[in-house]
Amino acid sequence: MDEEVPMEKSKMQQLMDKILSGDRRAFAQGISVIEDRRKGWQELLNEAYKNMNDHALIIGITGPGGAGKSTLTDKIITEYRKLGKKVGVIAVDPSSPFSGGAVLGDRVRMGTHNTDANVFIRSLGSRGCIGGISEGTKRVLYLFKTFDFDVILVESLGVGQDETEITNFVDVTLVALVPGFGDSIQMAKAGIQEIGNIFIVNKSDHPDAELFTNQLKFSFGDMPVEERPPIINTVASEGKGMNELMGAIAAVVPNEYARREEKARRRIHIEIESEVLEKVMDITRDIIVQKAQIVFDSENKITPYDVAAEMIEGISFQEK
Amino acid sequence: MRKIRILVAKVGCDIHERGALTMMTVYRDAGMETIYTGRFQSEEGVVNAAINENVDFISVSDLTGSLVIICKKLMDGLKEQGAENDIHVICGGIITDSDREQLEAMGVLGAFGTGYPAEKTVEFIQDYMKDKLD
Ligand SMILES: Nc1nc2c(ncn2[C@@H]2O[C@H](COP(=O)(O)OP(=O)(O)OP(=O)(O)O)[C@@H](O)[C@H]2O)c(=O)[nH]1
Ligand SMILES: [Mg+2]
């Protein structure tokens, strides 16, 4: 008879087990392990990836600073709680590029849910990522998908560029804009039409709301009618327009669920690519500094292209 | 990289916010991540938020002279959830000598009076965390 050696579970496997059993402290600690890249983080991320499920509806909320994203998130949580849904929230605020620290203020608007055990809100600093969705946020989202949420809301700051990536990580993308002629119009120009499943004109108590809504509608004019995203007017601070918003979300869900496989494929592609590129950049950083010096000292007898070609050869050699 | 995370909390009906907001920017400029609960929170809500945010500290400020009562409830809440060794409580505001004694006795890590320089509080935190950042 073969002797069974009981395999001792690693620390990260044990943590994953606790998270899967619904232990919210373990979950909160696991997020830090991944976010801070603490010891064992890659193992935990792998465990999360293997154990995640497709149960939760994932909603991204993006838009310019101060548009009312957190206030909207607060009200959306309330709506889902009325339906008895368990809600997870990832709220991203910018980190200071100078100190690396951050003031994370999103949950101030969500304070009423602090005593609700069926709402889990986690604030993240963007940690070096301006706009778009940071590596940390993506990784933490995988862990959220192992916890038994019915709905996961991701609030992130949108600044126009490079916003498309978030759409691959969520089912439904809400773009929150405000009347006025600042960032919101800039975003409309930057081509956000493509990323939003639903556009929210928040602060519709503002006198320019109607004008702005029309401008936004007009900016969708080039799109085929059936592809034009709905525009919902809200006054989030007063809870106005929430029924319409919830209705609009429910209406786009079937279509977006049908795209889950396509998005999953793209995510896999993105993940492999970014892991590999990150590694390549790590490995080559110092060498590039040395090579740059050589090019400079050669007084243009050696070109940057010579050096790059030589380095690339080295990489392809490793591949064989 | 391991970052120090601090939940800045306001409990009860204290309307003063300036102290809390100032401390947050000071923490941020020292490279820490600071999360604000907003005003008028309950102790239970603050403990939940601290656990979900997995912070190292709850920094509670109060100018109504209620720090002893607030901190007692926070400490009890953390103990109830088994988090008292990972999440520490510090406080700032109006603190009498007798308050300080009681705060210390219940395990509050630091109590800083209204005039206490913000940088000193940062130093205190950094010093405490020195060996804990893996
Ligand atoms: N007048 C008006 N004010 C609103 C409305 N919605 C939110 N606000 C206010 O706008 C301010 C910003 O709201 P937040 O929800 O924090 O906005 P945000 O987009 O999350 O902000 P950042 O996360 O800092 O980018 C707050 O003072 C809100 O009370 C609204 O519909 N009308
Ligand atoms: Mg916000």
Side-chain angles (χ1 to χ4, degrees):
Chain A
M1 206 176 78
D2 281 351
E3 219 175 309
E4 279 280 324
V5 184
M7 275 274 280
E8 186 85 20
K9 282 204 173 183
S10 74
K11 241 178 116 181
M12 286 303 136
Q13 282 168 333
Q14 286 172 28
L15 184 60
M16 192 70 237
D17 284 348
K18 276 197 194 168
I19 294 170
L20 289 171
S21 77
D23 181 332
R24 80 176 26 226
R25 259 200 91 208
F27 177 52
Q29 287 166 339
I31 296 169
S32 296
V33 169
I34 289 179
E35 206 202 358
D36 285 342
R37 307 210 211 173
R38 295 184 193 178
K39 203 160 164 278
W41 74 274
Q42 280 148 317
E43 190 188 353
L44 185 61
L45 182 59
N46 269 311
E47 288 291 328
Y49 201 93
K50 286 177 201 160
N51 285 291
M52 67 184 174
N53 64 68
D54 262 343
H55 173 69
L57 166 64
I58 307 177
I59 301 175
I61 303 170
T62 187
K69 300 178 295 294
S70 301
T71 314
L72 282 162
T73 303
D74 174 57
K75 297 297 189 296
I76 296 172
I77 299 170
T78 304
E79 293 300 319
Y80 280 116
R81 288 300 299 132
K82 282 187 205 160
L83 301 172
K85 306 283 187 197
K86 194 168 169 183
V87 185
V89 179
I90 301 176
V92 187
D93 264 329
S95 299
S96 157
F98 305 108
S99 71
V103 169
L104 310 175
D106 289 327
R107 68 180 304 139
V108 172
R109 316 263 173 241
M110 312 176 199
T112 53
H113 303 290
N114 279 344
T115 47
D116 185 345
N118 287 307
V119 177
F120 184 103
I121 300 165
R122 181 64 174 244
S123 313
L124 302 181
S126 59
R127 300 195 181 181
C129 185
I130 313 151
I133 182 168
S134 70
E135 290 299 314
T137 309
K138 285 187 231 169
R139 288 168 182 159
V140 166
L141 186 53
Y142 289 126
L143 201 61
F144 265 67
K145 286 166 96 169
T146 68
F147 214 66
D148 65 334
F149 294 119
D150 300 306
V151 181
I152 299 171
L153 302 167
V154 184
E155 176 189 340
S156 65
L157 186 70
V159 289
Q161 301 298 314
D162 210 28
E163 276 302 296
T164 48
E165 206 184 347
I166 191 176
T167 60
N168 292 314
F169 288 82
V170 303
D171 293 310
V172 176
T173 307
L174 310 179
V175 178
L177 302 173
V178 280
F181 295 89
D183 290 345
S184 293
I185 291 288
Q186 288 308 116
M187 285 188 73
K189 280 191 196 152
I192 42 152
Q193 286 89 331
E194 274 97 79
I195 76 152
N197 297 113
I198 296 166
F199 282 76
I200 299 168
V201 177
N202 189 40
K203 307 198 185 181
S204 282
D205 50 337
H206 194 283
D208 288 337
E210 203 180 316
L211 177 66
F212 180 78
T213 308
N214 286 332
Q215 284 175 329
L216 189 62
K217 240 179 235 161
F218 185 74
S219 77
F220 296 154
D222 295 341
M223 304 169 88
V225 178
E226 67 281 2
E227 277 174 31
R228 288 179 200 169
I231 299 173
I232 308 289
N233 289 88
T234 60
V235 184
S237 49
E238 295 168 25
K240 284 192 186 145
M242 292 315 293
N243 285 342
E244 291 78 1
L245 177 59
M246 297 310 286
I249 293 172
V252 300
V253 162
N255 211 1
E256 292 308 310
Y257 271 11
R259 295 181 58 207
R260 273 188 158 180
E261 195 186 300
E262 168 198 338
K263 288 182 185 177
R265 281 178 195 278
R266 258 191 255 141
R267 279 200 302 274
I268 294 169
H269 183 106
I270 291 168
E271 294 295 10
I272 298 174
E273 188 178 65
S274 67
E275 289 290 315
V276 172
L277 289 182
E278 199 175 300
K279 187 77 197 169
V280 169
M281 267 154 62
D282 272 357
I283 297 171
T284 54
R285 192 167 292 124
D286 293 344
I287 307 172
I288 290 174
V289 172
Q290 290 167 20
K291 299 279 184 191
Q293 190 62 43
I294 292 171
V295 170
F296 185 80
D297 291 341
S298 79
E299 293 177 345
N300 292 348
K301 293 206 173 54
I302 304 170
T303 71
Y305 314 108
D306 291 335
V307 167
E310 187 192 323
M311 284 182 67
I312 291 164
E313 228 169 273
I315 294 170
S316 37
F317 175 72
Q318 272 192 349
E319 247 171 24
K320 280 170 199 163
Chain B
M1 199 186 66
R2 173 87 156 84
K3 281 201 196 292
I4 299 173
R5 282 168 69 90
I6 304 181
L7 185 76
V8 172
K10 298 270 335 167
V11 176
C13 49
D14 183 8
I15 56 162
H16 308 88
E17 202 167 30
R18 186 150 0 127
L21 298 179
T22 307
M23 281 319 292
M24 284 192 290
T25 54
V26 173
Y27 291 145
R28 177 197 63 202
D29 293 344
M32 304 172 190
E33 285 184 344
T34 164
I35 300 132
Y36 189 34
T37 60
R39 291 176 292 176
F40 317 126
Q41 294 299 306
S42 67
E43 288 86 352
E44 184 199 353
V46 170
V47 168
N48 280 343
I51 283 173
N52 294 358
E53 296 286 358
N54 196 35
V55 291
D56 304 295
F57 295 91
I58 298 173
S59 165
V60 56
S61 72
D62 184 84
L63 293 177
T64 67
S66 319
L67 278 173
V68 171
I69 302 166
I70 295 170
C71 288
K72 178 81 176 68
K73 287 191 186 161
L74 290 176
M75 297 300 292
D76 288 349
L78 287 170
K79 266 182 209 139
E80 220 168 89
Q81 310 226 29
E84 77 274 19
N85 292 326
D86 297 320
I87 301 175
H88 308 286
V89 176
I90 58 176
C91 63
I94 296 169
I95 301 161
T96 65
D97 286 347
S98 118
D99 286 349
R100 192 178 300 281
E101 263 171 42
Q102 293 179 66
L103 289 165
E104 232 166 75
M106 68 176 81
V108 169
L109 207 61
F112 310 100
T114 36
Y116 199 76
E119 314 82 66
K120 291 267 182 193
T121 309
V122 167
E123 259 172 51
F124 175 89
I125 290 168
Q126 282 170 334
D127 203 51
Y128 185 81
M129 291 302 289
K130 209 168 46 205
D131 312 321
K132 297 175 182 66
L133 303 175
D134 36 62

